Amino acid sequence: MTRRSGRGPLAALLLTASLAVLAAACSQPQDSAAPGCPAAAASPCPPDTSPPPSPEPSTPADTTPDSAAGTTGATGATAPPARPRRPSGSSRPPSAGSAACASPRACGFPDAATTGHRTAPKTRKSGHLTIRTDGAVIRGWDLAGSLDVYADDVTVIDSRITSDNWWGVNLRPGHHGLRVLHSTITAVPGEGPDNGGVDYAVSNMGTSSVEVGWCDVSVFGDALSMGQGDLHDNYVHDLAPFVNQGGEWQHTNAVISGGGNTGHLVVRHNTLLNPTPVDQGASGGIGLFSDSGPVRNVTIDRNWIAGGAYALYAGGEDATGIRVTGNVFSTQFHPASGGYGAVAHWNADGAGNVWRDNRMSDGRPVRPEPSG
């Protein structure tokens, strides 16, 4: 609707000039397109949704000497006067949109450039170390071994862990508050205890939530293993298949939950890649299995998922409270994302189950297969 004005010819002339300036300002040459947007793209390139670098968690300065007591078979776990706070704004990453994506980075998902330790680790350690100091901060360690946590509110940050044990970091039952942030967790192929294999990068054996954020995780068979936790902004890749002690190919999953959980599992804004061949134990990019009881209360939101026999095992016929929203199922390993398909065992009739806005990396919508 045009608003009338009685200001005469001069006003009309000024209006015409303003419109001309506006038109010039809005026009953009072709070479000013967003970085990473291919010139011959079949559909518009989505806006760059890469999250800004996350701020340093507000940990107090480490003031305890490196030889602090409180560990068994380990030194250097420092106990600060207060827990670090989680950086703000990390729980609501932007949606990837609906256009096709050639890679995780093209749609703003984590990769090697946005995960792992941010500064070179300076404190070298070795061995399978037990942490028993509540509130300990493991900062800047370069550990050839693993961490077994029998303490509350432990933080591992800006560290590199290269394990040949069953796990990289493990939280024991009865303890809570473990956070693993901005760290690189990998393993030595062929040197693990499971017939040369290594099983879990971060394992939660308890009933409390574990936070894993901005981590670069590779090699382990079941990389992030827990029933409840907050897994966000991680890059999980290059899982290594191996024949376990039972003489069978160990199943591999970027994220795995065995059901029977008492809390909430949130898997949000991660890149989860399982390149394992189907005939060498591939299971899922995300595997929700009812091994220990029904799967319930899981949020899978805005992840890049690829590989496995199915990219997502969605919990089965008893699963409830499963919300799968805004995810991209990539075709980088298989045309159907997983070797047999994108999704298996989705319970469409389960109470609180939601399937919304999930698509293939080429833009096609993903329709889940039924449970069974």
Side-chain angles (χ1 to χ4, degrees), residues 298-345:
V298 180
T299 296
I300 301 173
D301 181 49
R302 301 171 189 172
N303 300 280
W304 177 282
I305 312 169
Y310 286 90
L312 170 63
Y313 284 86
E317 59 185 4
D318 295 325
T320 58
I322 315 300
R323 299 180 58 87
V324 184
T325 56
N327 298 282
V328 176
F329 290 81
S330 170
T331 61
Q332 65 191 91
F333 302 128
H334 306 285
S337 191
Y340 302 131
V343 189
H345 307 315

Side-chain angles (χ1 to χ4, degrees), residues 123-195:
T123 303
R124 296 200 173 187
K125 301 282 182 180
S126 62
H128 307 311
L129 310 182
T130 300
I131 307 301
R132 298 188 183 274
T133 302
D134 288 349
V137 175
I138 310 300
R139 180 190 297 275
W141 281 23
D142 189 352
L143 172 63
S146 62
L147 294 176
D148 202 3
V149 180
Y150 288 83
D152 297 336
D153 301 327
V154 172
T155 297
V156 180
I157 188 167
D158 281 321
S159 295
R160 176 170 53 218
I161 297 173
T162 306
S163 177
D164 59 356
N165 198 7
W166 294 98
W167 55 73
V169 183
N170 180 49
L171 180 67
R172 288 289 179 168
H175 296 283
H176 63 265
L178 175 65
R179 307 171 77 218
V180 184
L181 308 174
H182 297 290
S183 293
T184 301
I185 308 172
T186 189
V188 183
E191 296 187 14
D194 194 357
N195 198 29

Side-chain angles (χ1 to χ4, degrees), residues 4 7 11 19 21 35 37 49 69 97 108 144 151 172 183 193 196 241 245-246 250 292 301 348:
R4 294 185 179 273
R7 296 187 182 271
L19 289 173
V21 171
C37 183
T49 56
R172 288 289 179 168
S183 293
Q245 291 179 351
Q250 177 70 23
S292 302
D301 181 49

Side-chain angles (χ1 to χ4, degrees), residues 9-267:
L10 178 59
L13 182 61
L14 288 173
L15 178 60
T16 302
S18 299
L19 289 173
V21 171
L22 253 159
C26 289
S27 62
Q28 295 287 340
Q30 281 190 337
D31 57 8
S32 65
C37 183
S43 57
C45 193
D48 183 4
T49 56
S50 301
S54 55
E56 170 75 23
S58 55
T59 50
D62 295 336
T63 56
T64 308
D66 190 54
S67 59
T71 63
T72 301
T75 59
T78 61
R83 278 190 73 197
R85 297 175 183 174
R86 175 174 173 172
S88 61
S90 63
S91 62
R92 295 298 300 171
S95 173
S98 58
C101 284
S103 67
R105 179 178 294 187
C107 266
F109 289 99
D111 62 7
T114 59
T115 58
H117 54 279
R118 297 165 295 181
T119 56
K122 296 180 180 179
T123 303
R124 296 200 173 187
K125 301 282 182 180
S126 62
H128 307 311
L129 310 182
T130 300
I131 307 301
R132 298 188 183 274
T133 302
D134 288 349
V137 175
I138 310 300
R139 180 190 297 275
W141 281 23
D142 189 352
L143 172 63
S146 62
L147 294 176
D148 202 3
V149 180
Y150 288 83
D152 297 336
D153 301 327
V154 172
T155 297
V156 180
I157 188 167
D158 281 321
S159 295
R160 176 170 53 218
I161 297 173
T162 306
S163 177
D164 59 356
N165 198 7
W166 294 98
W167 55 73
V169 183
N170 180 49
L171 180 67
R172 288 289 179 168
H175 296 283
H176 63 265
L178 175 65
R179 307 171 77 218
V180 184
L181 308 174
H182 297 290
S183 293
T184 301
I185 308 172
T186 189
V188 183
E191 296 187 14
D194 194 357
N195 198 29
V198 283
D199 288 88
Y200 312 112
V202 181
S203 169
N204 181 3
M205 297 178 68
T207 57
S208 68
S209 181
V210 166
E211 180 183 1
V212 184
W214 304 285
C215 288
D216 184 323
V217 178
S218 60
V219 178
F220 293 88
D222 286 324
L224 302 178
S225 173
M226 59 195 67
Q228 43 274 316
D230 182 6
L231 312 179
H232 63 89
D233 303 288
N234 301 292
Y235 174 46
V236 182
H237 59 101
D238 294 308
L239 305 185
F242 61 92
V243 176
N244 60 27
Q245 291 179 351
E248 300 175 338
W249 285 105
Q250 177 70 23
H251 289 169
T252 59
N253 298 271
V255 172
I256 186 171
S257 179
N261 54 305
T262 58
H264 192 184
L265 176 62
V266 177
V267 185

